[in-house]
Amino acid sequence: MNGRLRSPSRAPVRQSSVRAHNLALVLQTVVNSADRPSRAGIAGATGLTRATVSALVDDLIAGGLLTEHGPAPRSGAGRPATALALSPDGPAGLGLEINVDYLAACVVDLTGAVRHRFMDRSPTLAGLGELAVRARAAAAEDGLALAGAALAVPGLVAPGGLVRVAPNLGWQDVDPIAFLRGTPALADLPITVDNEANLAALGELRAGDGEPTFLYVSGEVGIGAGIVLDGDLYRGGRGWSGEIGHVTVYPDGRPCRCGANGCLEQYAGAAMVAEDPALAAASLGIALAAVVNLLDLDVIVLGGGYAPRFGELSAGIEAELRRRVLTADLAPITLRPATLGPDAAVRGAADAVIRAVQDDPATWLALQAV
């Protein structure tokens, strides 16, 4: 080496990239505002010039992402400014869920309001496609354009949407995206697939009590978990974190479909909650205590089928947490039902589509210009 310092390479920033960044900045300011902000308020919050904000807001209004309302809250004298809000008539998200004993679909608009919800008790891919078609038709009747669809699945999902294994569905290396795109009414939509507990946790992150760190546990026939740390979903090295249903609670216990014995799923799945809620609660408490001891979490959210039966389960779970969590006397654990209840996964799926638009409005606007 010749001892000379090398300056870091700096790629030029394209004007389109600056605009995309600023569009997202303006839209996110509206999304995160407690009140409906004015253009001047957005300029003050972002540091952008008023002229720049005004031009970006005009683009967002023209693209159906923002709408103008009455006067914004005033902080002084002068002419009242126009307030801005997310448009309920703009792009919408289609959430889909397939589980062991049901299908679900919902349409959520840009404001987060559920516009349509459908359920079916025939959990097949063909049935899922039919439910999605019904949901899209309902959205069209409201004048809503779908920005995409997201599918919640109780299994391990690889990048690209391939479901590597979903034991309770009997799936191995199933590509639900390819199937859904084979449905003409869905062929033009961007479609993503994720684990149902992950999507439920993300939905709960936005709809819940504002906790940035928590464990979300979804209980159906199978049991999954979503781990949210400092406002971000923790996925693990391969994206497969959260398989709490296969944590061993009784090493010499019942055989599980995964091939092991004594998995939590065999003692706290939906059937066991109905048959022996005390055993289910104790088993959940054992597994949850291990997670808390490992990750130092202080909030646990029970969702899916656990949410409506929270009253039956909470005392038994809390007893095991007090008994087994090392720091229980120093920092009590908050245990609560999911804000979104049993709809958390399908709502979280639709919300994932909406969040993508809110994070990157430039892509949506570009599609509208084609």
Side-chain angles (χ1 to χ4, degrees):
M1 294 182 66
N2 58 15
R4 295 175 60 187
L5 294 177
R6 299 178 60 187
S7 60
S9 61
R10 292 185 176 88
V13 178
R14 298 182 182 274
Q15 188 64 32
S16 60
S17 298
V18 173
R19 179 176 178 274
H21 173 272
N22 289 340
L23 281 167
L25 182 61
V26 168
L27 187 59
Q28 284 294 329
T29 302
V30 177
V31 170
N32 297 320
S33 177
D35 297 311
R36 291 171 172 173
S38 65
R39 297 176 193 231
I42 294 172
T46 61
L48 298 172
T49 68
R50 291 195 182 192
T52 298
V53 168
S54 186
L56 294 170
V57 166
D58 286 343
D59 289 344
L60 292 167
I61 291 174
L65 300 176
L66 291 182
T67 184
E68 293 181 299
H69 287 265
R74 296 176 62 179
S75 58
R79 185 177 179 180
T82 302
L84 297 164
L86 295 172
S87 173
D89 300 320
L94 172 59
L96 302 170
E97 181 185 4
I98 183 168
N99 220 304
V100 177
D101 55 357
Y102 69 89
L103 301 170
C106 71
V107 177
V108 173
D109 68 28
L110 196 61
T111 71
V114 176
R115 302 289 286 270
H116 298 281
R117 179 181 178 276
F118 302 92
M119 285 198 70
D120 193 289
R121 291 295 178 181
S122 302
T124 64
L125 276 174
L128 183 67
E130 293 171 3
L131 206 64
V133 170
R134 288 173 58 195
R136 184 164 197 180
E141 289 179 6
D142 282 355
L144 297 174
L146 294 182
L151 170 62
V153 177
L156 302 180
V157 182
L162 181 69
V163 180
R164 297 306 306 268
V165 60
N168 292 316
L169 293 178
W171 286 12
Q172 185 165 356
D173 292 331
V174 173
D175 187 354
I177 294 179
F179 181 88
L180 291 173
R181 284 197 178 130
T183 302
L186 305 177
D188 62 326
L189 287 183
I191 302 173
T192 59
V193 181
D194 203 344
N195 174 268
E196 55 92 19
N198 285 343
L199 288 170
L202 288 173
E204 191 66 22
L205 178 64
R206 291 190 54 160
D209 293 341
E211 304 105 338
T213 297
F214 60 89
L215 177 70
Y216 179 94
V217 185
S218 176
E220 302 292 349
V221 173
I223 305 171
I227 305 167
V228 177
L229 303 177
D230 295 326
D232 291 320
L233 183 69
Y234 176 74
R235 293 182 175 276
R238 291 163 294 185
W240 298 341
S241 69
E243 289 298 318
I244 194 172
H246 299 287
V247 168
T248 301
V249 289
Y250 302 109
D252 298 323
R254 302 166 183 166
C256 181
R257 297 186 192 188
C258 73
N261 288 76
C263 292
L264 175 64
E265 195 169 280
Q266 298 303 310
Y267 295 89
M272 185 54 66
V273 170
E275 178 183 332
D276 192 342
L279 177 58
S283 303
L284 273 167
I286 293 170
L288 293 173
V291 176
V292 171
N293 281 330
L294 182 65
L295 298 179
D296 188 26
L297 301 169
D298 60 1
V299 177
I300 299 170
V301 179
L302 296 187
Y306 292 148
R309 307 196 70 156
F310 182 81
E312 296 176 73
L313 299 172
S314 58
I317 294 172
E318 288 170 342
E320 292 296 337
L321 291 174
R322 288 193 299 270
R323 177 185 174 197
R324 297 174 183 274
V325 173
L326 182 63
T327 58
D329 293 335
L330 303 174
I333 308 301
T334 297
L335 181 71
R336 66 170 179 84
T339 302
L340 298 178
D343 288 341
V346 71
R347 287 275 303 275
D351 187 65
V353 177
I354 294 305
R355 280 165 45 115
V357 175
Q358 293 174 351
D359 291 341
D360 183 19
T363 295
W364 170 258
L365 296 180
L367 289 173
Q368 306 317 295
V370 174

